[in-house]
Amino acid sequence: MELTTWLTDLLDGNLIFTPQTLGYYWDGLVTTSQLVFLSLLAGLVLAIPLAIGRSSRHRWISLPIYVYTYVFRGTPLLIQLYIIYYGVVFVDGIQESIFWPLLREAFYPALIAFTLNTAAYTTEIFRGAIKATSRGEIEAARAYGMSNALTMRRIVLPSAFRRALPAYGNEVIFMLHASAIASVVTLMDLTGAARFVYARFYAPFEAFLFVAAIYLCLTFAILYFFRFLEKRLLAHLKPA
Amino acid sequence: MQRYLGIALLGAALVAGSAQARDSYEHVRFGVDVPYEPMEYRTADGELTGFDIDLGNALCEQMGITCEWIEQQWDGIIPGLMARNYDAIMSSMTINEERRAQVLFSDAYLTVPSAWFAPAESEIETPDEQTLDGLTLGVQRGTLQDSYATDFYGDVANVRRYATADDMLLDMESGRLDLVFVNYPVGKTTLLDSERGDYRVVGEMIREPYEYFGDGIAIAFRPRDEALAERFNEALAELQESGVYDEIHDRYFRE
């Protein structure tokens, strides 16, 4: 109650930032956070086995994964989103399938597109980190009699994740910024809310500057989270 | 020093240039959001046509000036006018109070109602808060239909806003939308009379409340271009007198 009166007083006489439009921005913030968080999580889960497969010596494993990452890193995310959102309806019988209630909404096609895209980038980041594992560590593991799987689990992956952390932090921030295109498929994310306010009140500066400030805050939060992680996990690399 | 002089001269030239442009337009650029059939759209061979286009060209001819059409997506059409990307908007823009605060309107040249459209097999008879509860509604972003649907049904229904009318129709066709809310001639041409599927009008034609649906469709100008708006009003009256207006009207709105 107190918050509402405070808010009403604060917004008194303001034509653009009414409780209604702030509500749209808030919903937008929730949608953007969900979309980015879920796609990053799913992308990460997909990327770990893909990265291991991508560094495999067997071409029949690594080649298909290479084609996948090449295609998804080589085309704009906007095009991938269009293809998945508008293209999926041309699949025969999709409207009758059990997936339609999900694909009918804008959220899930966008989530699929973002997940596949971030998984491709994350795969390549991890692959680079896996490849950079020093030979000595692997030879030492062999000398202890570790199997391939155990070496991967105990030696290669833990150090690879640490090496990949700074690059992965960038990918998270890129993903947040890339999510701004979700509004082209009618999703009311942060940018969608800004576009709505812009179109309704013809106020481009207010609408977009406000939303830019929110994105900045989110970026800083991510930045500090990764800085904290790096401090903890990469403590051994700090100059003494 | 010389650099500042250059900037000052450039500024002076700009001021002089815009002052000159204010007096007499020999060439008018119209901003238009395409496609919005039958108001403005492209024929199969890419030619721009439609009621607005034909009427706009006829008005320019009547005034003895040349004109050109510049395509602009709807949600940025008023900011584009203010940014001088074009001199007027002739794109089925309805006069209402929110817009009147931003732009100067000519006399209205057409009144069209809005209507709800749904697939033929839809069971809704009258759209209201109960029947629309939980449904997905499509509108074009920044249109008066968007404002109306958002304010009246935004709390009960899921309003999806599209950048272009085309994207909205594509989603209607694919079954993502239960209803769309558009101006009637556009819905009639693009849904009822099309090959896209079977559609019907749901409920009555909607012309009220006044704050949303206003006084009809007009050309929008920058507020300071009063003289230009006046010239267009005179030309419009002349075309209505001479029967050219009716001839163009019948070309697109014969029942």
Side-chain angles (χ1 to χ4, degrees), chain B residues 21-22 25 28-29 78-89 102-105 219-229:
Chain B
R22 190 192 306 194
Y25 283 93
V28 169
R29 297 164 302 158
I78 288 183
L81 177 69
M82 298 308 162
R84 310 187 70 91
N85 295 345
Y86 32 82
D87 308 305
I89 299 168
Q102 303 283 330
V103 298
L104 174 72
F105 281 108
I219 311 171
F221 301 91
R222 283 182 287 271
R224 61 190 230 183
D225 282 334
E226 276 175 45
L228 183 64

Side-chain angles (χ1 to χ4, degrees), chain B residues 149-163:
Chain B
T150 303
D151 292 350
F152 283 83
Y153 306 113
D155 294 333
V156 292
N158 175 14
V159 179
R160 287 173 72 167
R161 301 176 183 83
Y162 293 85

Side-chain angles (χ1 to χ4, degrees), chain A residues 2 28 40 77 80 147 187 198 200 213 227:
Chain A
E2 208 148 83
L40 283 168
L77 180 54
Q80 296 162 20
S147 68
L187 210 57
Y198 161 57
R200 178 112 194 222
R227 194 162 291 174

Side-chain angles (χ1 to χ4, degrees), chain A residues 24 85 95 104 195 200, chain B residues 141 150-151 160 171 174:
Chain A
Y24 281 111
Y85 182 79
Q95 270 96 340
R104 191 176 190 266
R195 279 177 175 227
R200 178 112 194 222
Chain B
R141 180 165 35 230
T150 303
D151 292 350
R160 287 173 72 167
D171 264 5
S174 69

